[in-house]
Amino acid sequence: MPAAAGAAFVVVPLLALGLRVDWSRFGELLGSPSSLAALTLSLQTSAVATLACLVLGVPMALVLARRRFPGRQVVRSLALLPLVLPPVVGGIALLYTFGRRGLLGQTLDVLGVPVAFTSVAVVLAQTFVALPFLVVSLEGTLRSVGQRYEAVAATLGAPPSTVLCRVTLPLVLPGLLSGAVLSFARALGEFGATITFAGSLQGVTRTLPLEIYLRQVDDPDAAMALSLVLVAVAIGITVATARLGERAHR
Amino acid sequence: MPAAAGAAFVVVPLLALGLRVDWSRFGELLGSPSSLAALTLSLQTSAVATLACLVLGVPMALVLARRRFPGRQVVRSLALLPLVLPPVVGGIALLYTFGRRGLLGQTLDVLGVPVAFTSVAVVLAQTFVALPFLVVSLEGTLRSVGQRYEAVAATLGAPPSTVLCRVTLPLVLPGLLSGAVLSFARALGEFGATITFAGSLQGVTRTLPLEIYLRQVDDPDAAMALSLVLVAVAIGITVATARLGERAHR
Amino acid sequence: MTLACAATLAARGFDIDLEVGEGERVAVLGQNGSGKSTLLGVLAGTLRPDAGRASLDGRVLFDLGPGRRLWLPPHRRGIALLAQDPLLFPHLTVLDNVAFAPRVGGAPRADARARAERWLEEVEVLPLAGRRPHELSGGEAQRVALARALAAEPALLLLDEPMAAVDVAVAPMLRRVLRRVLAGRTTMIVTHDLLDALLLSDRLVVMEEGRVAESGPTEETLRHPRAGFTARLAGLNLIRGTRDGGGVVGRDGVRIDGTTGDAPALRDGDPAAAAFAPAEVSIYLSPPTGSPRNHLPVTITEVEPHGELVRVRGDDHHGHSIAADVTPVSVAELDLYPGRDVTFVVKAATVTIYPA
Amino acid sequence: MTLACAATLAARGFDIDLEVGEGERVAVLGQNGSGKSTLLGVLAGTLRPDAGRASLDGRVLFDLGPGRRLWLPPHRRGIALLAQDPLLFPHLTVLDNVAFAPRVGGAPRADARARAERWLEEVEVLPLAGRRPHELSGGEAQRVALARALAAEPALLLLDEPMAAVDVAVAPMLRRVLRRVLAGRTTMIVTHDLLDALLLSDRLVVMEEGRVAESGPTEETLRHPRAGFTARLAGLNLIRGTRDGGGVVGRDGVRIDGTTGDAPALRDGDPAAAAFAPAEVSIYLSPPTGSPRNHLPVTITEVEPHGELVRVRGDDHHGHSIAADVTPVSVAELDLYPGRDVTFVVKAATVTIYPA
Amino acid sequence: SGPAATRAAGGTTVTVFAAASLKATFTRLGRAFEASHPGTAVVFNFAGSQALAEQITQGAPADAFASANEASMATVAGAGLAAGRARPFATNTLTIAVPPDNPAAVATFADLARPGLKLVVCAPAVPCGAATLTLEEATGVTLAPVSEEQAVTDVLAKVRAGEADAGLVYATDVIAAGDSVRGIAFPESSRAVNRNVIVALSGGPQSGLGQEFVDLVRSAEGQQVLADAGFGTAT
Ligand SMILES: Nc1ncnc2c1ncn2[C@@H]1O[C@H](COP(=O)(O)OP(=O)(O)OP(=O)(O)O)[C@@H](O)[C@H]1O
Ligand SMILES: Nc1ncnc2c1ncn2[C@@H]1O[C@H](COP(=O)(O)OP(=O)(O)OP(=O)(O)O)[C@@H](O)[C@H]1O
Ligand SMILES: [Mg+2]
Ligand SMILES: [Mg+2]
């Protein structure tokens, strides 16, 4: 019962949204160059951001789950911070870091790697907000899987790197996949940090959520329709990944 | 190394933020009635929203992790949707549902339960965006803990409800706690859905992120300082919960 | 009967049909992978067969098949299962693990704990009551798991190799405990140990490749095994009667001396049985004078090769057929042939006497 | 020596000091919770002692103490551990589980699989190669885990109760496999079974409450156990010599016939030993004529109570002291006292002959 | 001591939905309104004009609506929720915002078209972007912004951080932002004037008080407060 109530709580608003969409205009809306550009950009940057989350987040989760060191709790909650930070503030923080006058931005600029107002900035913003999702869900799985199999592998002669690739990661694959999906979803929906840090230029930094927001001002119907596209993409990807995960494990 | 890089990626922007804050004005900013009202409201609504997430989300996670039924993948990805939906769109969806002219709003209104533009609306918006966090992280833990202990408890005569309370939930306590923390953090940082669905009325619906947003227009320094308050609250709560979780499990 | 079960589970090549009487204790023997754990899982309700029907004390446990979908959930079956893996609840102390079933059964906290302490005492791990499961050794965990299953006081108790991880010094104690607590309680115990089967069961079920290869009263079956697996292990000589001094006196007057070993104490007149392996039996043409207490005059009925040895069967004129395994050289030297009268000699030290 | 280990672990009351020679096979015996698994864990590197030092083949495994913090990680030790719990990797097939160590060792995929298949064949579970671990029975999983540990071909192999879950019919086969593969390989095997200790080890370590209570050559120790735990189990009669026909001829000419039972095939002239329990020995005042093949004239040296029975020790004039357990009635009837000449009679069927 | 407390005491409450850019001025006017109407509290809902319009059409209990542009007001009026005609009460003109040190040495509107200059503007869909577009057409200067932001605050944030060399925002925003940015007024700005409009809402619980608040905003007192903040007078 409460499970159904929970599901309804999520589904009914989506339904309400669907009911308001002018489906006859749907194709036209989707086909518009600005929508297509936004969708493509969103998919690309989210994919890259997810990859970045994996590269940065898997080691973080491993360290948090497997090592005991003083201040581990503080490090963990720091890793969670982008979750609480209002995205706009997150964007400002990124601006202060990677922006032209930011902590690292000056160095980057000197190196000839301008970040702001490029797609790289979008990826950075998305990675910043999506990283905690990967870290948290993977760390939880690592903890509950435990270290007994890793110990067995070590006594069979496997050095840590081999244990990681052949035992730990395959064992936590479901958690890794669901973490990646969460990150991807969060990156796909990212709005506040992107607009603050990366700006909004069609084809370069204007992702689908930004496009939706803009449209809402002048064409609310279009915004609703595009939201549903976002929803559909997200459903498609999560279902596909879940299938993959189920197949990988038994 | 990559773990450190990941941590740096999160921590450096926060540091950059901290460097820009005018710490001398910090106390005064925090002490202002509007800031205090926003902070109080944020803590209260986030706490209630977390509770709501537990009530709705725990059964959902249990059903998703333990029952096999056709379309389970679709239901699961539906449960994830609030993650991808740009919060503003989520707010609109909620407005279409619980607003006075929404799907359920009319019924609720007749019943004398106005929802929109009350603190209840804030809680609803926060619950909507935070629910997936609880569901996803708890479902993952449930899966990796497996059902063997539940089977043992059943053969010892424990009916399903007892198994749930005495075996399943204690076993997944770490996952439950981290899911609750994630939800609370997400609720605390929630902005887009709240401003759209609940509006921004001081003391009633203007949570800390909304206050930060408004301050940014006329007093950006204050906005930054308030962001750091949010960050501090979030760190405090996650650390406290993590301690609790460690103590509960050995 | 109390328990009747017929079930098939194609994925494991499992197909059995079984009946167990009121208060009967059944030992399940069989090779690795023969389906012993599967049988227990099906009965406990942790494993769902493709089809079949089972009932316990008149209550239907499951009834599955075309058009029938009855399935009593595990907690309503009154069947406790001690699995091969102890699976102690990691979040509870040893004491609370054992108190789990009494608590669930409605006993007040203090009561449940007291009962748990009693059971821990029984399996001699009471000092570990305050530990967490991850702080136990393998054998300790197994004993706690046994106490937990016993504390459930189920209508049917299923034990999957309860002694496997237990050390030799503890085994006799556990056997004694089990014998006491299982008395008159419908039980099914999976074991690889003949002595356990002999001491703890009334009936033997031998499984082979998912099927019941042999089933019958334990002694009978161990004496005259038909299934290949049992034959390889058993062929025991068994004599039933009543306890008398250092031995057992059969109903027909035959007397066998032996030791009680692990078995619980017996008083004179108690029903008892004596078991000894054919390898323990020496053959003499005329009764020798020596330490062996048991001299049985028999007429040889059968001389057959049995592995490296030769199995000689003799009839003791009381209706007992007794087997002796001796070397081929002995058969030749003593010129043993069916019809010849000889004396079977058995040392009392090699005869196990147990309550019947 | 090859392995030297001294370690303490206060949380488990563990404190040992141990040396093992090149190619020596050590059996570790002891009660539940006596620290056997802890010892293996410390050697394998899965458990970190509070202090101590160990070295294998000259390499230091760990050296912990005030100012010393050397710790070789498990994968650099060349020590494989088969734990009490099989812990097969759930994401790999049976074949890939066994191929794990060869793969890690750098063998090409096909090669590693071929080797894995050989080991699966050895433990007779090759048909299960394609299965996932959750599709195995308890005993099957244990055998696969054994194959996996063997496939690692480690410098030191640690086996924690490798036969506990294995059925009686399979045990002899596994024992044979282990005997062959462990030959000349430094090994430590935890067991609750005396026969395993006898067949699979050169040296015995008996643990009691976290300490080494007794340690010495297996036969010697089983014959003259000092630690209480060993004494309760052992006191075996052992005669060493070479294989000859159906028996063993001692260096001094004494001859004992027996059966090889589980042990690997032996050819005449191979070094061998014969073992038999005191309970199997009958005492005659004069040599009887019967099936028993072994007649040993001895002079009684000792008559002492031993539980329900009486242990009578005799000297066979070749320097062997042989024990016989008989009932008190026999002692009285035959009037056994130290100094009396008698004949000890042992059936060949009850004597185990094994390679020495 | 906030409005919520007053409401809890049982007095009347008038609810005003106003564009976020009006937060400072309307908050002051609200206090003045409460002073002249004892027992009445003014509650504000500040958000983007379009979001507010959406909320009102979805039945939000508002008594007055102040929009930063005429388009959002049209949504509300179209739904038949306005009590009377919406009246302009303030105007906004664009100004150039640069970081305090003005690194690109921007001085005129034409400077904004310099190649290499990092300019951020509002997207055409939002009012300040529409005004920018109007200016471009009127002056014939073609701008090549590196970003078309969704809101004035976003433009300001980038200028303040030095990320952008210049941005086009409303004069009021530059004043509100204090020392963190410098405003450079330019004469062409008068070619694109944005009107803020206000109306009382017919569906609100205190529609009458809403009208009184509208009147206050349009009174001399209200106009003075707005002028102090840099708004132009509506005609
Ligand atoms: N999930 C599973 N768990 C256990 N056995 C399985 C499973 N799936 C398939 N099997 C197969 O079913 C058969 C019966 O297994 P079962 O566990 O009942 O054997 P068992 O008699 O208990 O053996 P053991 O003495 O090794 O414990 C075996 O061949 C096993 O490989
Ligand atoms: N984490 C732990 N794992 C195992 N034993 C522990 C642990 N913590 C404490 N102990 C205690 O350490 C002692 C030694 O345990 P160990 O597992 O070495 O015994 P063992 O000789 O292997 O016993 P068994 O025959 O039951 O396997 C026991 O008293 C046990 O209760
Ligand atoms: Mg089994
Ligand atoms: Mg152990």
Side-chain angles (χ1 to χ4, degrees), chain D residues 34-276:
Chain D
S34 58
K36 306 181 295 296
S37 300
T38 304
L39 171 61
L40 266 47
V42 163
L43 287 173
T46 58
L47 211 57
R48 198 185 181 109
D50 301 328
R53 189 192 147 86
S55 62
L56 174 66
D57 292 331
R59 288 177 308 132
V60 176
L61 299 180
F62 58 85
D63 191 358
L64 303 168
R68 296 163 300 143
R69 297 183 52 91
L70 200 149
W71 179 256
L72 204 63
H75 68 279
R76 301 245 299 276
R77 296 191 176 191
I79 298 179
L81 167 64
L82 170 62
Q84 266 173 299
D85 194 336
L87 288 175
L88 297 175
F89 301 126
H91 60 291
L92 297 180
T93 60
V94 162
L95 185 67
D96 287 337
N97 260 283
V98 181
F100 185 87
R103 282 291 284 155
V104 163
R109 190 186 197 82
D111 236 52
R113 293 213 163 163
R115 270 160 69 185
E117 280 177 0
R118 251 197 345 271
W119 285 113
L120 285 173
E121 178 99 66
E122 289 272 27
V123 296
E124 295 184 5
V125 286
L126 185 54
L128 307 179
R131 295 228 191 138
R132 284 297 174 95
H134 73 273
E135 299 168 343
L136 299 178
S137 79
E140 288 164 350
Q142 190 64 22
R143 278 145 78 179
V144 173
L146 178 60
R148 183 177 62 175
L150 290 171
E153 302 194 349
L156 172 62
L157 179 59
L158 306 174
L159 303 171
D160 204 343
E161 305 191 27
M163 319 272 250
V166 154
D167 69 63
V168 227
V170 171
M173 174 276 294
L174 272 187
R175 230 172 249 133
R176 240 182 351 260
V177 171
L178 283 176
R179 221 191 125 77
R180 188 174 60 248
V181 302
L182 303 187
R185 173 173 281 168
T186 320
T187 312
M188 210 171 259
I189 180 167
V190 171
T191 178
H192 287 310
D193 187 323
L194 279 188
L195 191 57
D196 283 344
L198 208 52
L199 283 172
L200 299 175
S201 76
D202 311 308
R203 234 159 72 85
L204 207 64
V205 168
V206 180
M207 303 220 32
E208 251 168 38
E209 300 188 341
R211 285 180 168 71
V212 175
E214 176 158 19
S215 162
T218 305
E219 292 184 1
E220 189 100 353
T221 313
L222 285 183
R223 206 181 326 203
H224 303 298
R226 285 186 312 273
F229 179 76
T230 339
R232 246 147 89 209
L233 312 173
L236 281 182
N237 293 301
L238 293 165
I239 295 189
R240 285 177 154 282
T242 50
R243 176 73 168 161
D244 177 48
V248 168
V249 176
R251 275 174 286 266
D252 40 31
V254 89
R255 187 196 158 85
I256 297 281
D257 278 2
T259 60
T260 48
D262 299 336
L266 279 167
R267 274 164 314 177
D268 280 5
D270 285 351
F276 51 100

Side-chain angles (χ1 to χ4, degrees), chain C residues 32 167 280-281 283 291 347, chain D residues 32 167 280-281 283 291 347:
Chain C
N32 287 144
D167 69 63
E280 306 291 354
V281 182
I283 304 177
S291 64
K347 287 197 54 170
Chain D
N32 286 143
D167 69 63
E280 306 293 353
V281 182
I283 304 178
S291 64
K347 286 197 55 172

Side-chain angles (χ1 to χ4, degrees), chain C residues 131 134-137 139-140, chain D residues 12 32-33 35-38 84:
Chain C
R131 295 229 191 138
H134 73 273
E135 299 168 341
L136 299 178
S137 79
E140 288 164 350
Chain D
R12 304 198 186 175
N32 286 143
K36 306 181 295 296
S37 300
T38 304
Q84 266 173 299

Side-chain angles (χ1 to χ4, degrees), chain C residues 31-33 143 167-168 192 260-261 279-284 289-293 308 325 327 330 333-334 347, chain D residues 31-32 137 143 167-168 192 260-261 279-284 289-293 308 325 327 330 333-334 347:
Chain C
Q31 280 183 279
N32 287 144
R143 279 146 77 179
D167 69 63
V168 226
H192 287 311
T260 47
E280 306 291 354
V281 182
S282 305
I283 304 177
Y284 288 90
T289 343
S291 64
R293 311 256 31 85
E308 278 183 83
D325 285 353
T327 53
S330 302
E333 264 186 17
L334 296 180
K347 287 197 54 170
Chain D
Q31 281 184 277
N32 286 143
S137 79
R143 278 145 78 179
D167 69 63
V168 227
H192 287 310
T260 48
E280 306 293 353
V281 182
S282 305
I283 304 178
Y284 289 89
T289 341
S291 64
R293 310 255 33 84
E308 278 183 83
D325 286 351
T327 53
S330 302
E333 263 185 19
L334 297 179
K347 286 197 55 172

Side-chain angles (χ1 to χ4, degrees), chain B residues 56-69:
Chain B
L56 296 172
V58 170
M60 284 174 81
L62 281 168
V63 168
L64 286 175
R66 293 288 184 258
R67 298 271 161 82
R68 310 205 129 257
F69 54 90

